[in-house]
């Protein structure tokens, strides 16, 4: 069984890895832990981001989105999760929701956990983008190419790497679903 220590990336750096089937197992284990810790505070937990898309190269960090009924649930959930190994990175608002991270060692990120209300457009977008890339090989290939170009260009600037993907993501989300 793969372990979370099998993944990870130093903070601020960009390195892509070929997709690993182990990522799905790692997500399942972390999602089960999140559900156990969060109880009724979390309505749904989903594997999102590139590690959730077979065939897509990705930074070896699990992106997980958790849907909450209301923003009022964030504070108690953050307290629980921080007492169990997560680090509070604060509210990113429209740039990913409330972010918590898990590290395997100092500054080596293994999980990015995004807390958003289930009615928030970001929740819908996380799922729609993931599902489109899973179903549309042409979009997945275009995204892989863009990610590889950006990774070469921004090896030590994760913010610029991420910003470079925004227009592509917006384009995919504006496209009619198949």
């Amino acid at each position: 069984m793969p372990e979370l220590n099998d993944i990870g990336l130093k903070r601020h750096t960009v390195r892509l890895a070929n997709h690993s089937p182990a990522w799905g197992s790692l997500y399942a284990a972390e999602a089960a832990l999140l559900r156990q810790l969060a109880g009724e505070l979390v309505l749904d937990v989903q594997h999102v981001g590139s590690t959730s898309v077979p065939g897509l190269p990705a930074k070896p960090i699990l992106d997980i989105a958790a849907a909450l009924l209301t923003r009022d649930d964030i504070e108690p959930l953050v307290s629980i999760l921080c007492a169990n190994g997560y680090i509070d990175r604060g509210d990113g608002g429209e740039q990913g929701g409330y972010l918590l991270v898990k590290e395997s060692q100092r500054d080596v990120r293994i999980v990015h956990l995004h807390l958003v209300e289930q009615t928030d457009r970001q929740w819908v977008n996380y799922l729609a983008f993931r599902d489109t890339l899973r179903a549309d090989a042409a979009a997945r290939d275009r995204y892989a190419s863009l990610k590889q170009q950006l990774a070469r260009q921004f090896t030590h600037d994760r913010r610029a790497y991420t910003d470079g993907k925004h227009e592509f993501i917006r384009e995919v989300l504006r496209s009619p679903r198949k």
Side-chain angles (χ1 to χ4, degrees):
M1 175 77 171
E3 297 184 18
L4 282 177
N5 290 339
D6 296 335
I7 60 172
L9 189 60
K10 188 153 180 66
R11 192 171 173 204
H12 303 300
T13 64
V14 178
R15 176 181 54 82
L16 298 179
N18 290 329
H19 182 83
S20 170
W23 293 341
S25 299
L26 292 171
Y27 157 74
E30 191 66 14
L33 175 63
L34 288 167
R35 287 183 183 102
Q36 178 186 7
L37 293 171
E40 294 180 6
L41 291 173
V42 169
L43 302 175
D44 195 4
V45 178
Q46 292 286 323
H47 190 188
V48 297
S50 295
T51 58
S52 71
V53 181
L56 186 63
K59 295 185 315 295
I61 301 171
L62 298 179
D63 274 298
I64 299 174
L68 311 178
L69 181 61
T70 173
R71 292 190 56 80
D72 294 340
D73 293 333
I74 290 175
E75 188 177 328
L77 183 56
V78 168
S79 293
I80 292 166
L81 295 176
C82 287
N84 286 278
Y86 275 86
I87 299 166
D88 184 348
R89 298 298 298 151
D91 193 351
E94 294 294 314
Q95 301 301 313
Y98 201 100
L99 179 65
L100 295 114
V101 299
K102 187 178 263 192
E103 297 180 338
S104 60
Q105 56 184 295
R106 184 172 168 77
D107 286 337
V108 177
R109 303 285 169 83
I110 56 176
V111 176
H112 289 161
L113 174 61
H114 306 269
L115 306 178
V116 294
E117 285 182 272
Q118 191 173 39
T119 58
D120 189 316
R121 188 76 196 148
Q122 290 182 96
W123 175 255
V124 173
N125 288 346
Y126 278 133
L127 303 183
F129 187 68
R130 177 202 62 198
D131 293 348
T132 298
L133 292 180
R134 284 177 173 175
D136 185 336
R140 184 173 53 248
D141 291 345
R142 286 181 34 235
Y143 192 48
S145 179
L146 173 63
K147 287 166 57 82
Q148 289 162 340
Q149 172 198 341
L150 292 168
R152 286 189 299 272
Q153 187 176 359
F154 300 113
T155 307
H156 297 286
D157 189 347
R158 197 175 299 169
R159 183 173 304 279
Y161 167 83
T162 300
D163 290 347
K165 298 183 301 181
H166 282 235
E167 187 51 41
F168 179 87
I169 293 168
R170 281 191 288 270
E171 174 190 321
V172 166
L173 292 172
R174 283 191 303 260
S175 299
R177 307 285 183 263
K178 293 181 178 182

